[in-house]
Amino acid sequence: MRWDKRIISLCLSMWNSSPKAYEHLKRSNFLLLPSQSLLKKYKNCIHQRCGFNTEMFRWMNFECDDKNISENGRHGGLSFDEVAIQEDLVYTRRKDELILTGMVDINEESKQGSIIKNGGTPKTDLASHVFQMFFLGNTGFRWPVAYFATREVTAPEIYNLFWEAVITLKEWGFSVDYAIMDGASSNRSFIKLNYTDPSNPRKGRFMVSNRADLSRKLAMIMDFSHCVKKVRNGMLKSAEYEGSKKSLIIDGKFVLWKYFHEAYQHMGHQHKTYPGTFFTRPGTEDEKSSSRRSPGCRDAAYHEEISGFIER
């Protein structure tokens, strides 16, 4: 029996999420499903390893052609991030080969740099992070490009990996028009490495030359949620005195978190501002009584108050 590729794709997704749940569903005989051994063969048809793999780019290109992705869909951005992992060594067997994984594995330039840094002595460390790169197409196509075992990647390493990814994607027919990342210090340093004038990125509208296509520009973008988080943290740490290292000032005026807190307290003392939510001073009888009301009563009370306000 030959399974349809859509069934295999669905079962792979279920199995990767929870192998135990998949096996329980299969044994129930409610549905006829592929065996786990077959799913493992499909999953391991491409040997996953650190770095840029030709097989992955060939698979990526095949999927684009198979899904009839337009030219615009082959344009997009490159997202990258570093996540912490548990430090450990793992032996895996592939055919007759025994492979040791868990060590830092970035690229040859990084290895040579490490040798020079350690006075000509090669040094290997256990990986504590994984640096991942992801292609985001303009029309919704998504694809993991590569991953690297690191020990907190540095800005020069990101620089080399990023532009190698952009150039390799271009060779396979994909164009990177922007890079998107969080606000980590290494990412900020990486962005500065790409500007001709790092002190004034606004001058070039945060655009840099695209080394894969000199006729086009590439935008450097900070993830929006992290930008909001940085502003929030800046307000939380902002101090109300001149010369403070954490002074958030706009038009010569301090922006402090206590202003938002006091406004919240003032609004809660005056009136309710959202259906089912009562903003009152902590510990007051109004707060205690409102918490005991059912959602329906709270909504009715809110609409009654709003109606009275409109009539006035």
Side-chain angles (χ1 to χ4, degrees):
M1 178 178 180
R2 189 172 185 85
W3 296 94
D4 187 274
K5 64 179 182 179
R6 292 172 295 181
I7 297 296
I8 293 293
S9 178
L10 176 61
C11 291
L12 271 173
S13 178
M14 295 168 55
W15 179 64
N16 284 327
S17 299
S18 177
K20 289 185 178 180
Y22 180 84
E23 184 62 20
H24 180 72
L25 181 62
K26 177 175 172 55
R27 289 181 178 179
S28 68
N29 294 323
F30 182 74
L31 294 172
L32 184 61
L33 299 174
S35 65
Q36 292 198 45
S37 59
L38 179 62
L39 295 179
K40 288 179 181 179
K41 290 181 180 179
Y42 276 97
K43 182 177 181 291
N44 298 326
C45 63
I46 299 295
H47 177 44
Q48 301 292 332
R49 60 182 182 274
C50 293
F52 298 104
N53 303 323
T54 303
E55 295 87 352
M56 286 295 293
F57 289 104
R58 184 179 293 111
W59 188 10
M60 178 181 180
N61 188 50
F62 172 81
E63 287 295 324
C64 259
D65 293 339
D66 186 58
K67 297 180 184 298
N68 295 319
I69 301 298
S70 64
E71 182 64 25
N72 183 39
R74 287 176 171 265
H75 283 256
L78 193 62
S79 173
F80 54 86
D81 194 11
E82 190 175 40
V83 296
I85 60 172
Q86 181 179 355
E87 298 183 29
D88 196 9
L89 287 176
V90 178
Y91 283 97
T92 56
R93 180 179 296 277
R94 182 174 176 83
K95 296 182 179 179
D96 296 330
E97 184 181 5
L98 194 63
I99 303 172
L100 175 65
T101 58
M103 309 298 291
V104 171
D105 187 0
I106 303 178
N107 55 14
E108 190 60 34
E109 290 82 358
S110 178
K111 292 179 182 177
Q112 296 301 324
S114 177
I115 293 174
I116 295 173
K117 183 178 179 180
N118 291 285
T121 304
K123 183 181 178 181
T124 55
D125 295 315
L126 284 175
S128 60
H129 292 73
V130 169
F131 182 73
Q132 306 171 93
M133 310 185 83
F134 213 87
F135 178 77
L136 310 172
N138 291 339
T139 59
F141 180 73
R142 304 286 188 270
W143 196 266
V145 175
Y147 71 92
F148 304 87
T150 69
R151 197 168 186 86
E152 294 191 5
V153 68
T154 64
E157 289 171 340
I158 296 176
Y159 184 92
N160 291 331
L161 295 176
F162 175 80
W163 287 113
E164 184 176 354
V166 172
I167 293 171
T168 306
L169 284 168
K170 185 66 176 178
E171 292 173 352
W172 285 92
F174 298 90
S175 297
V176 177
D177 298 323
Y178 64 89
I180 186 166
M181 69 213 80
D182 62 24
S185 59
S186 57
N187 291 341
R188 297 197 302 270
S189 299
F190 156 72
I191 291 177
K192 292 180 180 178
L193 290 175
N194 291 278
Y195 291 131
T196 54
D197 185 7
S199 62
N200 187 18
R202 293 184 180 180
K203 184 178 180 180
R205 296 188 177 183
F206 298 93
M207 306 288 285
V208 301
S209 297
N210 192 329
R211 292 175 55 182
D213 186 354
L214 297 178
S215 64
R216 300 178 64 87
K217 293 288 187 179
L218 190 147
M220 295 289 174
I221 303 174
M222 284 287 183
D223 183 73
F224 176 76
S225 61
H226 284 81
C227 290
V228 173
K229 185 176 71 174
K230 296 289 286 185
V231 173
R232 180 205 63 189
N233 292 343
M235 288 190 296
L236 286 171
K237 298 178 181 178
S238 183
E240 194 177 8
Y241 57 87
E242 295 292 341
S244 171
K245 294 182 179 179
K246 294 293 183 181
S247 296
L248 185 60
I249 303 174
I250 299 178
D251 295 332
K253 299 180 180 180
F254 286 98
V255 180
L256 306 177
W257 184 255
K258 72 174 186 178
Y259 297 156
F260 293 87
H261 182 263
E262 290 173 357
Y264 171 82
Q265 293 289 343
H266 175 73
M267 291 169 58
H269 184 65
Q270 296 295 327
H271 58 274
K272 314 167 188 67
T273 58
Y274 189 80
T277 303
F278 285 70
F279 294 95
T280 58
R281 293 185 182 277
T284 62
E285 289 301 322
D286 290 340
E287 183 187 58
K288 295 175 183 177
S289 61
S290 64
S291 63
R292 292 193 295 266
R293 300 175 188 172
S294 65
C297 292
R298 291 199 299 267
D299 291 344
Y302 169 78
H303 290 297
E304 181 180 352
E305 180 181 340
I306 292 298
S307 300
F309 176 77
I310 295 174
E311 291 175 1
R312 291 195 300 269

